[in-house]
Amino acid sequence: MTTVREATFDVLRACGMVDIFSNPGSTEVPFLVDLPSDFRFRLALHEGSVVGMATGFAIATERPAFVLLHTTAGLGNAVGALATARVNRAPLVVVVGQQDRRHLALEPFLTGHLTALAGPYPVWTSEPALPQDVPSAIRRACHEAAYGRGPAIVIVPRDDWDDPVADDLGLAAPLEVRRPPAIDHASVAEIASLLADSRSPAIVAGAGADTPATWTALTELVERLGCPVWQEAFGARAGFPQDHPLFAGQLPAGRVRLRETLAPYDVVLVIGTGAFRQYPFEPGPLVRSGAIVVVVADEAAAVHRSSATLGVVADPSLVCGRLVELVSRRETSRHTSRTIPPVPEGPFSARHVFAALAEQLPEDAVLVEETPSTRPLLHQYVPARAPRGFVSAAMGGLGFALPAAAGLRLGDPTRPVVAVVGDGSSMYGIQALWSAAKYGCGVLYLVLSNGGYAVMDLLAARQGGKPAWPGFDVDLRAMAEALGCPARLITDETTLRATFDEVLPGLADRREPLVLDVRVTPEEHFEP
């Protein structure tokens, strides 16, 4: 007779989840001891890093990643990263250990009240009623994570793993779930008609458009329409080639500038995201009166929360591909030339770093971003040129980039990975450098050290007051080296460019991470 543990390993194999991302405790020991040789255990030193690394891995592999967390403490530490995974649309199967089922009623040490601890961020949560239900719950969690595009949680008491499962019992979940590739042809025809009648259409691309199939179909549609393409504000990923002549830039995150930006367009087709992502609250409508907004996304929640005339839940690549067949090519000379700001003379700053990176970054590189005070500048200098060319934390919480970059590299070792991180941001996930070094993740980490939380200082200045928080200066090179990760200090542009000359051409083949502690002058302006 098979045990729950053995049946679970069979489920994980069938789902392609043989990498286990974890920072385990006593409740997970019965599952992990004598791990089968075809599984790979990936240790991180904090649960935020565990989930962040798994999130990057899931994005890179485009399939669910398996996370194992330790009861209340582990799940509690991971909630912020789980929120990021949800908004980043990263499928995760998260098993959370629980105390022994046989004395849970007494609430022994390490008992967790777990079902609601992660709040609304899981796409699905299960606390199996019987040990024998655990493999089925994990199988279903794989489906829920894949099609809900987020973390699915299963809570498993430590004594469940050794219980028997009848070999002929079967799983209470399908072996395979298919979502038919059919689309609503009437809805697509309606969208095509709106575009045909439009005098001045525009497209907004979101993270949900960041697949090779959607890039191809959307690019062909844009070229037939001859219309500009905007990237959603604070997008976790790029949904369109940002070096394309029709790419117009990043949408503003405030209503006033958003309304001004979209004012010339009578039909705005939003692909792969909702309408529209905002940051500071401002009164007034999102778009001018009379403008028609159409949203197409395969995430129902994104469609449901949109301010739109029409919303369609469907695969964006299929809808765009069908629209290409239905819309006529427009004779237009419209094009958008991407404006690259000049690098000013003066102290060494993030602009110098981004300008040098733009010149030397491999075209297929994955750029991971977590630098709040300079993200707008990064977008101006360094475009995403391939699917999955840009990855960021959609939730806005810090601590994502360092572990996610390691996971992206683990998930797809063929592509070079560069993470651009602020020194303040790095403090939220610095433990991930240990895992990056341990597992040979050849990531180039560019840490922009400006001596504090620069974005907070800029926001305080905009508020007209002085910050209550102090600046800080940490020795990131020493911290990285203490965690087993090679690091260098960079204080000038000449040294930076020489380092890029040395490292970037061979980054795809690199087998150890490298941290560059780049000391820069803080920027004086921030506009989300």
Side-chain angles (χ1 to χ4, degrees):
M1 188 171 288
T2 304
T3 65
V4 169
R5 179 176 182 263
E6 292 167 338
T8 297
F9 283 134
D10 288 340
V11 167
L12 296 179
R13 291 184 183 101
C15 293
M17 295 187 294
V18 295
D19 290 85
I20 300 174
F21 295 89
S22 184
N23 183 287
S26 58
T27 52
E28 294 71 56
V29 169
F31 177 72
L32 291 173
V33 293
D34 297 326
L35 193 69
S37 60
D38 57 327
F39 284 80
R40 294 182 289 266
F41 185 85
R42 308 294 194 179
L43 177 68
L45 305 187
H46 182 273
E47 288 83 0
S49 293
V50 168
V51 174
M53 189 156 56
T55 299
F57 189 83
I59 291 171
T61 59
E62 298 183 345
R63 64 175 188 268
F66 184 71
V67 174
L68 185 65
L69 299 177
H70 177 51
T71 190
T72 306
L75 180 57
N77 284 344
V79 169
L82 289 171
T84 294
R86 174 65 182 273
V87 185
N88 268 49
R89 301 160 50 86
L92 304 180
V93 174
V94 183
V95 169
V96 183
Q98 174 66 291
Q99 246 289 10
D100 194 301
R101 186 187 290 270
R102 294 167 293 187
H103 65 165
L104 281 178
L106 298 172
E107 295 196 11
F109 183 65
L110 289 180
T111 300
H113 297 280
L114 301 171
T115 52
L117 185 55
Y121 299 115
V123 297
W124 185 72
T125 301
S126 174
E127 193 168 16
L130 297 171
Q132 290 74 23
D133 295 335
V134 168
S136 296
I138 292 174
R139 165 77 74 176
R140 179 174 172 182
C142 183
H143 300 323
E144 296 282 358
Y147 296 123
R149 298 183 179 275
I153 291 178
V154 180
I155 299 163
V156 183
R158 60 167 289 145
D159 59 310
D160 281 11
W161 298 114
D162 292 329
D163 274 36
V165 177
D167 293 332
D168 60 351
L169 185 62
L171 291 174
L175 294 177
E176 182 180 3
V177 173
R178 293 180 179 176
R179 192 165 43 173
I183 58 177
D184 182 350
H185 291 285
S187 296
V188 178
E190 183 178 351
I191 297 171
S193 178
L194 289 170
L195 292 171
D197 294 339
S198 169
R199 297 184 309 276
S200 181
I203 288 177
V204 175
D210 188 24
T211 68
T214 307
W215 272 52
T216 299
L218 182 55
T219 300
E220 189 172 352
L221 175 62
V222 167
E223 290 173 350
R224 290 185 74 83
L225 293 171
C227 70
V229 180
W230 297 87
Q231 178 71 33
E232 66 170 325
F234 292 104
R237 296 163 70 176
F240 185 79
Q242 295 176 350
D243 58 346
H244 192 282
L246 289 169
F247 180 68
Q250 310 291 319
L251 276 186
R255 291 183 182 225
V256 173
R257 290 199 301 132
L258 174 65
R259 198 161 53 243
E260 293 171 351
T261 300
L262 296 180
Y265 313 115
D266 56 353
V267 174
V268 179
L269 175 59
V270 181
I271 300 291
T273 186
F276 292 97
R277 200 117 195 256
Q278 299 284 282
Y279 177 34
F281 172 75
E282 294 173 353
L286 291 166
V287 297
R288 65 172 175 81
S289 177
I292 296 173
V293 177
V294 177
V295 174
V296 176
D298 58 4
E299 182 186 6
V303 174
H304 293 162
R305 65 174 175 261
S306 294
S307 178
T309 309
L310 173 64
V312 178
V313 180
D315 184 326
S317 68
L318 298 177
V319 172
C320 290
R322 180 61 179 149
L323 286 172
V324 168
E325 299 172 358
L326 295 177
V327 301
S328 300
R329 184 175 297 276
R330 296 186 178 211
E331 295 298 330
T332 177
S333 59
R334 175 187 290 156
H335 65 89
T336 303
S337 57
R338 195 170 67 89
T339 302
I340 303 175
V343 179
E345 296 183 2
F348 184 48
S349 70
R351 296 173 186 266
H352 297 87
V353 178
F354 298 158
L357 184 64
E359 293 176 13
Q360 298 174 264
L361 186 69
E363 184 170 343
D364 64 338
V366 181
L367 183 66
V368 187
E369 177 273 334
E370 193 170 77
T371 173
S373 64
T374 55
R375 173 169 172 159
L377 288 174
L378 180 65
H379 283 313
Q380 290 180 33
Y381 283 97
V382 189
R385 295 173 289 175
R388 206 185 341 117
F390 176 82
V391 177
S392 183
M395 177 55 65
L398 301 179
F400 170 77
L402 295 185
L408 283 159
R409 181 68 175 165
L410 277 174
D412 185 358
T414 67
R415 290 185 66 175
V417 178
V418 176
V420 180
V421 189
D423 51 354
S425 300
S426 72
M427 292 296 98
Y428 288 79
I430 197 71
Q431 309 92 339
L433 295 179
W434 182 91
S435 299
K438 170 68 176 177
Y439 299 111
C441 305
V443 177
L444 177 62
Y445 291 103
L446 301 180
V447 182
L448 304 181
S449 297
N450 52 29
Y453 295 113
V455 69
M456 294 294 293
D457 296 339
L458 291 167
L459 291 172
R462 181 180 298 177
Q463 193 71 25
K466 296 182 179 179
W469 47 90
F472 63 87
D473 187 14
V474 295
D475 190 341
L476 281 161
R477 179 174 60 172
M479 294 180 72
E481 290 175 344
L483 290 165
C485 181
R488 303 181 192 179
L489 179 65
I490 305 291
T491 59
D492 61 85
E493 185 178 5
T494 300
T495 306
L496 177 75
R497 287 182 173 273
T499 304
F500 282 173
D501 286 340
E502 173 193 346
V503 174
L504 287 177
L507 191 57
D509 299 320
R510 191 177 181 89
R511 292 295 175 263
E512 68 174 5
L514 175 64
V515 171
L516 301 185
D517 181 0
V518 186
R519 301 300 176 98
V520 295
T521 302
E523 298 295 322
E524 297 181 355
H525 179 70
F526 168 73
E527 189 71 60

